[in-house]
Amino acid sequence: MKHKTIINLSDVYEDQANIYLVFHQYLGCEINYRYEEILSSTETMIAKIIYKLLEAIHHIHSHNVIHGNICLDNIYLKTDKLFDLCLANFS
């Protein structure tokens, strides 16, 4: 399931006891590290962030997938821009 607002799964490895998922590494951080900046943002910027998040949720739901734990810890910034985000850590 590829989408610009969903973290990219790069590869999967497996041994007899474990399955290892390799995800694309982004230059940004978890969005919760920028929480204070978000609180002081304009309504337009916050609307962009919410739109991107809803875009991600719509995409996964359209593929009959649920996230299970949408919270600030599971929203990553791909760059230093607040609205350039992706949803990660599916349960």
Side-chain angles (χ1 to χ4, degrees):
M1 174 174 32
K2 287 194 173 253
H3 194 267
K4 62 185 174 183
T5 56
I6 306 294
I7 194 165
N8 291 329
L9 179 65
S10 300
D11 215 336
V12 178
Y13 298 98
E14 184 176 353
D15 62 25
Q16 291 189 13
N18 300 296
I19 297 174
Y20 303 94
L21 305 176
V22 180
F23 292 96
H24 181 83
Q25 182 177 1
Y26 292 111
L27 301 174
C29 60
E30 293 173 5
I31 202 167
N32 63 345
Y33 291 113
R34 305 274 298 274
Y35 186 69
E36 295 295 326
E37 185 179 348
I38 293 169
L39 289 179
S40 63
S41 294
T42 65
E43 185 177 328
T44 302
M45 179 59 75
I46 293 171
K48 284 183 183 180
I49 294 168
I50 293 170
Y51 180 83
K52 292 289 185 177
L53 183 57
L54 291 174
E55 194 175 33
I57 294 166
H58 173 72
H59 182 73
I60 64 171
H61 286 182
S62 71
H63 286 84
N64 296 320
V65 174
I66 61 167
H67 187 278
N69 188 23
I70 297 173
C71 63
L72 295 178
D73 292 336
N74 296 330
I75 302 168
Y76 288 83
L77 297 174
K78 296 193 285 187
T79 63
D80 63 344
K81 296 177 181 151
L82 282 176
F83 57 87
D84 193 14
L85 58 84
C86 68
L87 193 56
N89 297 343
F90 290 75
S91 15

